[in-house]
Amino acid sequence: MRSLVSTPNGPSPAEIQEVDEPVAGADEVLLEVKATSINRGELSLLPNRPGWRPGQDVAGVVVKAAPNGSGPPVGTRVVAAVEQGGWAERVAAPINRLAPLPDNVSFAAAATLPVAGLTALRTLRAAGPLLGLRLLVTGASGGVGRFAVQLGRLGGAEVTAAAASPQRSAGLPELGAAHLVHDGEEPEGTFEVVLEGVGGPSLERSLRALARAGVVVLYGGASGEGARVALSSFSPGLLGRIQSFFIYETDVKTFGRDLGFLASLLGSGALEPQIGLEVSWRDLGAAVAALRDRKVNGKAVLLLD
């Protein structure tokens, strides 16, 4: 079987190599991977893990059912969130971390869902009900941000999307952003909920824009910059709070249920897949370079041809 394996000192960050076939556990199915996508966490680990097999977001077809008889049968089209090894021809996936796909949802579209879609969905849940509230989404041009804008609108929020530049914010109004803010600008008004994925000065601006008893859900720090945060960072008289979030600290046993919900939204047209780049897995190097140079709005998807 072939798989992408990290090669930090090679001409590409990972190369296609022959590896052992995966062995499915009692409650796992074996998938033939059709599409996968790249996450920023994987980008940061590629230079530091020689011989590593990345890949968490996968979409494909069940080629061997779970030995214990649970889960979908052979031939089922599914999306799954796996621990690693998804940039490969085949991968074992736990049945509670996958969901069948509607017939009208492509493998490429489904591959955008696991980490980015689950993070957007669960950060919004962590913030609480959104109906009638003002929501600020920072890093809105990325995979998580573009899903958060859409899900926030579906949840009844008035969404402001913050992105680095007008070029990076392209398409966000069509996804449900009522207002746009660009790098260095202070958002207008105050917000009951902020999804903060940038950190640094962006986090400082988010705290200044927080409404009374509002919450900043901090799920990332894409800028790589530190933030100066103190009691004085919050506007006087406001009882705001910061809540940290990491997707794998939530209930992984219900990933499949939430992936099914997100896939159904794709199937109904209520959610748009955010594919900013779609290439063959043989072109991983170009995809990684485009992501690191922040030339991709949304997700970069690899097709296993």
Side-chain angles (χ1 to χ4, degrees):
M1 181 190 79
R2 294 177 299 168
S3 172
L4 280 163
V5 179
S6 62
T7 52
N9 298 318
S12 175
E15 296 177 356
I16 297 175
Q17 299 179 8
E18 286 290 334
V19 300
D20 293 337
E21 289 279 349
V23 178
D27 59 351
E28 294 180 329
V29 299
L30 189 63
L31 298 183
E32 180 183 330
V33 180
K34 299 294 186 180
T36 182
S37 69
I38 306 172
N39 295 299
R40 292 214 166 265
E42 291 156 347
L43 286 187
S44 65
L45 292 173
L46 276 172
N48 304 311
R49 288 190 177 182
W52 177 50
R53 292 178 51 203
Q56 298 168 290
D57 301 349
V58 296
V61 178
V62 176
V63 292
K64 184 179 179 182
N68 67 4
S70 61
V74 171
T76 306
R77 302 168 69 252
V78 301
V79 57
V82 299
E83 289 289 343
Q84 60 183 354
W87 297 358
E89 291 180 312
R90 287 172 292 281
V91 69
I95 59 172
N96 59 13
R97 292 172 60 166
L98 59 79
L101 292 176
D103 291 339
N104 63 337
V105 174
S106 70
F107 292 120
T112 66
L113 291 178
V115 171
L118 289 173
T119 298
L121 178 64
R122 293 190 174 191
T123 51
L124 290 170
R125 282 187 185 153
L130 297 173
L131 193 63
L133 301 185
R134 298 194 75 216
L135 166 67
L136 173 63
V137 179
T138 72
S141 64
V144 176
R146 287 179 177 266
F147 280 132
V149 167
Q150 296 181 77
L151 293 171
R153 175 184 57 82
L154 289 173
E158 178 186 334
V159 182
T160 293
S165 66
Q167 293 75 22
R168 295 284 283 167
S169 63
L172 289 172
E174 291 78 6
L175 297 180
H179 313 282
L180 297 178
V181 181
H182 296 119
D183 196 27
E185 298 176 351
E186 295 282 343
E188 293 186 7
T190 59
F191 301 85
E192 289 85 2
V193 178
V194 179
L195 298 193
E196 175 59 60
V198 179
S202 174
L203 175 56
E204 296 171 18
R205 289 191 293 270
S206 293
L207 293 175
R208 290 194 293 269
L210 202 57
R212 181 174 181 82
V215 58
V216 174
V217 184
L218 182 61
Y219 71 89
S223 69
E225 300 179 73
R228 296 168 296 177
V229 177
L231 184 60
S232 58
S233 302
F234 298 86
S235 298
L238 301 183
L239 302 174
R241 62 188 173 92
I242 302 175
Q243 179 172 332
S244 62
F245 179 91
F246 179 58
I247 187 62
Y248 282 98
E249 293 299 325
T250 62
D251 185 7
V252 299
K253 294 180 180 179
T254 57
F255 275 6
R257 182 188 68 190
D258 284 350
L259 284 173
F261 172 67
L262 293 169
S264 70
L265 291 180
L266 284 183
S268 70
L271 191 67
E272 291 290 330
Q274 294 308 294
I275 302 176
L277 179 67
E278 184 176 327
V279 298
S280 166
W281 68 327
R282 302 172 190 276
D283 297 324
L284 174 74
V288 167
L291 282 168
R292 286 181 172 156
D293 292 341
R294 302 195 179 279
K295 295 180 179 179
V296 180
N297 289 342
K299 294 285 290 179
V301 173
L302 304 177
L303 302 178
L304 277 78
D305 50 23

